[in-house]
Every structure is written in structure tokens, then in C-alpha cells.
Amino acid sequence: MLATSTSYAQHHAAHKENELTHHGKRVEYDLYIDHIMVNFSGKEKKGLAINEGIPGPVLHFNEGDTAIIRVHNKLNEETSIHWHGLLLPNEQDGVPYLTTAPIKAKTTHTFTFPLIQSGTYWYHSHTMLQEQSGLYGSIVIKRPDEPPMKDYVL
């Protein structure tokens, strides 16, 4: 079986000329991770939220932008955010103890990476069962020439 994949470095090298001619903007987000009480089944439970919501906010970008995302961990435990499906520098990937240090309790970590692709993706925690407790959200990256349209996140 032959499996192929494109790494960030391979994609970056192949698109270097395009990056020199298209400069996106810096798009910044602040994500605050904290506990929240939720009631999905008639009984209140403690969940985890990003910016007081489950799911977390949709992060909008254009291909060519630079993402600057500050993750503020308001929990009394470590957390993480993984940018699922994005081609980015390995140290920005967000998998704790593998590619990125965990975000310790009561600290802030800033992720900075170029967006070299378009499409819909998602972000989520890779720490304990935090994703299942509410730490996830969507990412929308549009092509620079894409006409405006309404986005729906289900």
C-alpha cells in the first residue's frame, strides 16, 4: 500500500513563489477556556467552554493570512488546542507532550502560524477528555478569490 501525505515543509516549499506575491493580514483571536454549567438533557453538568460557548467560536481566515491565537487557560489544570487538518509548523500543532508543550493552568499560550490552505477544519483539545466535555470549534479558511457566502456550522 502506498500512502502519500504533504507536510507543511513540502507544501511551503512548493508554494513559496505564491507566498511572495500574496500577503494576507494578521488575524487575531483570544480563546478563553473555562468551566461552564450546561444542561443538554434536563440535568445540569459541568462542562468546558471556549469563550463561554460550546462549541467554541468559529475562527474565520483567508488563505495567506497569519493566525495569531492566544489561548487563555482559566482552568486549574493543563489544556491544549490542536488545529486539526491544518498544514502548519510542527511546534504549532498543539498536541501536548508531542509537538507542543501543554498550556499550564492559569497561563496563556500564543499560537502563530501562516494559513497556506483553504477549507473547513476544526480545533479541539488533546488533553484528557476535554474535547468530549466541550473544548472544540470550527475553522473556516477562504480562498482570496472566493465570493462571500453564508457559512453554516452544524
Side-chain angles (χ1 to χ4, degrees), residues 45-140:
K45 292 276 203 181
K46 189 189 282 188
L48 291 169
I50 302 172
N51 294 5
E52 299 183 0
I54 301 173
V58 179
L59 307 182
H60 291 271
F61 303 96
N62 287 315
E63 184 178 347
D65 287 347
T66 297
I68 301 166
I69 305 167
R70 289 174 293 274
V71 179
H72 306 270
N73 181 3
K74 300 178 72 107
L75 302 173
N76 290 322
E77 61 192 47
E78 65 186 42
T79 190
S80 61
I81 295 291
H82 168 63
W83 315 102
H84 197 98
L86 295 185
L87 299 172
L88 42 71
N90 200 41
E91 68 275 3
Q92 300 294 314
D93 190 50
V95 179
Y97 300 105
L98 183 63
T99 60
T100 310
I103 305 167
K104 298 293 185 185
K106 309 294 184 190
T107 65
T108 298
H109 180 82
T110 301
F111 292 91
T112 304
F113 49 86
L115 295 158
I116 59 173
Q117 69 203 89
S118 60
T120 55
Y121 304 92
W122 68 305
Y123 61 94
H124 58 89
S125 176
H126 256 270
T127 303
M128 297 178 277
L129 293 173
Q130 292 178 349
E131 174 198 323
Q132 293 82 351
S133 297
L135 292 189
Y136 58 90
S138 299
I139 303 168
V140 177

